[in-house]
Amino acid sequence: MIDSPRKMQCSIYGIAMAVLLAMSAHTGWAQEKKADLGLGPSDYAFLLQMARTSAATLLKDKDLVPEQAISSAEEQEVPNQQTVYVSLFADGFLNASARGDRMTVTEAVKVAGTRLGGRLRTVEHGQAKLDRGRIKIDVVKEGDLLQRAVITRYMDVLDPGVEGIAIRMPRGWAHLLPTTLLFVGPQAEIEIGKILELADRGTVRKRPDVRKLNTKAFIELEPGKGAVELFRGNVILDKASADDMEKAALQAGLWLLSIQLKNGHFKYRFNPVLSTQDPTYNIVRHAGTCWSLLWLYRSTGDKHFLDALKSGLAFLAKHTERAVEPCKFAHIRFAKKSPLGAGALTLLIKAEATLSGALPADKETMEELANFIALMQQDSGQFCKYLREAIGHTPPKKEPQYYPGQCMLALLQYNKLSPNKKWLDIVKKSAELQIQRFMKDDFADQWVMLALEELYRVTKDERYAAACHSMADSILKKQHKPGDVPDPDYVGGFNRTNPPETCSAATRMEGLVAAWNLADKTGAPSDHYLQALKLAAKFIMQQQFRPDNSYMANPKLPFLGGFHASPTDFELRMDYAQHAICALIGTSQIIRSLEKK
């Protein structure tokens, strides 16, 4: 990933705004036992409006001195003392942040809002930014003392975006808020180190205390309107209905249209929070993204998706090469490599587009791509990853993941157009190996599951249905259920990684859709698959950039509708959207089918 000037601006400026020292030291802050704040949705809008009004009042009256505008409440000892930060996010930046403490929440918000107005006076076009920006409030809650002597990396002991750092300074406490650390990404550890160095210099006693902190956070839905609670800087969704899934898939499709270039390829990978982008490209993921455009066209009938699909296929056609030895075949060559997955997915798209009537049949290319797949399979049934391995008779020691399932599904769909025992034999040979592989490593490959669903339809062999259901049951055991994890935004994800990843959840959904479809055909139990799909749908939809949760994203980059990598990683990649689109459409189709029964 490439560093950008905006990344450094977010890091240095955002951290500087967050690390505000209480002007009147309150050394007892961390030791106080805080009462339950008792704040609810009805309070959020009131407090946010109070903060905005306080900031606007100071901006309007240029003669008013911020500290003179603050009431004497800050001088008083009151029950349930709180520390509050009021921040303004406009144009994807943290524009200013201010603090109020040693008072009730209401008074602290009023004080912090007034100070925010004072800081906006020093910001270019401060009034305009307040008018178009969104106010966010963080109410700081107590944290545990950290043992500095045994900590190498502070971010390793924090729950990113949920826990921040409080550092004792000579005149009070410096706070690095959870989302401040989250939004600067890899820079967070460096910034913590800078503040610790300042704290160490400022004391002649033992090394300053460091404590965890967390906050209750909420933000305006629009400038001056509404309120929504945040967790890890994000909005936790209440539900995921079929309507919600279809809308999310459509928004993701519109995002894909926004990142497709004139030559047919897409912006591959970028981070709108850090403003970084990756100049590399992945031709296999390009083909997979085109497949999701076909899903969208079949689901919506919107010809914009069909046009985008044609453009994406044209890009693949430019990289298609043909050969006549050892047979007549076609392969997709990109960056001096011809990966199996690119050829298989191109055949899958062309076959399904022909079957659905979306595109006319490209018989010659489809036959040549099918021959390419046949060439890539070894006598053992394993597939080579790249063409050079098959031609050079140097197959890899380990068969690649995902590509075999893609080949199986592509040949099964092509076999509907050009029936040939050879295609089924290739699929069956690979299916046996993939089932054995699953029994050995317990890895459920969604492409294999999709292929097994189709293979059962063709053969009616119960072994294929049973294998698909075994894979689905393995997936279910790894899903985070309500009550299993402390963080609500992990629910529905899978424990393959920590935090759970969007793409992993979406691909497992694709496999579960296949398992549900098979259960529906065979009369096997299926409700547990649907419940898992609904949980996973809610999880991945929370990782989609929407107007309510994208206050930190750079508006100069296309992000609305894109799915970011995880709850703590805001990288967008075209195949995250690909898998989410197919998973959400597949799940909504199940729900719709049940509604009709």
Side-chain angles (χ1 to χ4, degrees), residues 163-339:
E163 295 175 323
I165 288 281
I167 303 171
R168 186 190 290 276
M169 305 293 279
R171 299 181 59 208
W173 289 85
H175 296 154
L176 294 170
L177 299 181
T179 50
T180 303
L181 294 174
L182 179 65
F183 295 157
V184 298
Q187 191 77 5
E189 196 69 37
I190 296 172
E191 300 300 340
I192 292 173
K194 290 178 181 178
I195 305 305
L196 284 172
E197 184 178 352
L198 287 174
D200 289 340
R201 286 182 193 169
T203 182
V204 294
R205 302 180 297 107
K206 64 178 183 179
R207 291 204 299 176
D209 289 342
V210 177
R211 291 181 175 270
K212 287 185 179 181
L213 68 84
N214 52 45
T215 70
K216 178 179 280 292
F218 40 97
I219 192 170
E220 295 173 320
L221 282 169
E222 298 177 35
K225 296 180 181 179
V228 63
E229 187 171 350
L230 299 174
F231 182 84
R232 210 188 303 273
N234 199 358
V235 178
I236 303 298
L237 299 178
D238 293 330
K239 60 183 178 61
S241 67
D243 285 342
D244 296 330
M245 295 177 202
E246 290 159 2
K247 181 180 178 182
L250 176 61
Q251 292 302 314
L254 294 176
W255 177 73
L256 287 178
L257 297 186
S258 75
I259 65 168
Q260 189 175 39
L261 306 182
K262 290 182 178 180
N263 66 354
H265 84 78
F266 303 86
K267 290 182 183 293
Y268 171 49
R269 179 165 62 183
F270 59 95
N271 188 318
V273 174
L274 298 179
S275 288
T276 59
Q277 54 187 331
D278 186 345
T280 64
Y281 204 64
N282 187 303
I283 196 66
V284 178
R285 289 171 177 158
H286 171 95
T289 302
C290 290
W291 190 53
S292 70
L293 290 171
L294 177 60
W295 275 69
L296 283 162
Y297 175 65
R298 290 184 304 196
S299 175
T300 67
D302 189 330
K303 291 191 175 181
H304 290 94
F305 296 127
L306 181 60
D307 291 341
L309 170 61
K310 291 177 180 177
S311 183
L313 286 173
F315 183 79
L316 288 167
K318 290 178 183 178
H319 295 278
T320 299
E321 296 184 2
R322 289 175 165 81
V324 295
E325 294 292 340
C327 62
K328 190 176 181 181
F329 69 94
H331 56 102
I332 312 298
R333 184 171 174 80
F334 186 82
K336 299 182 180 181
K337 294 180 180 179
S338 298

Side-chain angles (χ1 to χ4, degrees), residues 519-570:
D520 190 52
K521 291 183 179 76
T522 61
S526 61
D527 186 63
H528 56 313
Y529 297 141
L530 181 55
Q531 295 309 312
L533 281 166
K534 289 178 178 179
L535 277 180
K538 183 169 171 284
F539 169 77
I540 66 172
M541 286 164 58
Q542 284 170 180
Q543 317 318 320
Q544 186 175 38
F545 277 117
R546 305 179 307 275
D548 64 345
N549 68 358
S550 54
Y551 55 93
M552 78 301 275
N554 185 351
K556 294 181 179 179
L557 293 173
F559 59 82
L560 282 177
F563 288 86
H564 53 82
S566 78
T568 63
D569 186 345
F570 300 100

Side-chain angles (χ1 to χ4, degrees), residues 332-384:
I332 312 298
R333 184 171 174 80
F334 186 82
K336 299 182 180 181
K337 294 180 180 179
S338 298
L340 174 62
L345 289 173
T346 303
L347 174 59
L348 175 62
I349 295 165
K350 288 181 175 291
E352 290 195 353
T354 302
L355 289 165
S356 65
L359 294 174
D362 185 358
K363 295 180 181 178
E364 182 178 5
T365 301
M366 285 193 287
E367 182 73 14
E368 291 172 346
L369 289 169
N371 287 337
F372 168 64
I373 292 174
L375 175 66
M376 296 290 278
Q377 189 177 46
Q378 306 298 293
D379 292 340
S380 64
Q382 289 190 337
F383 284 98
C384 297

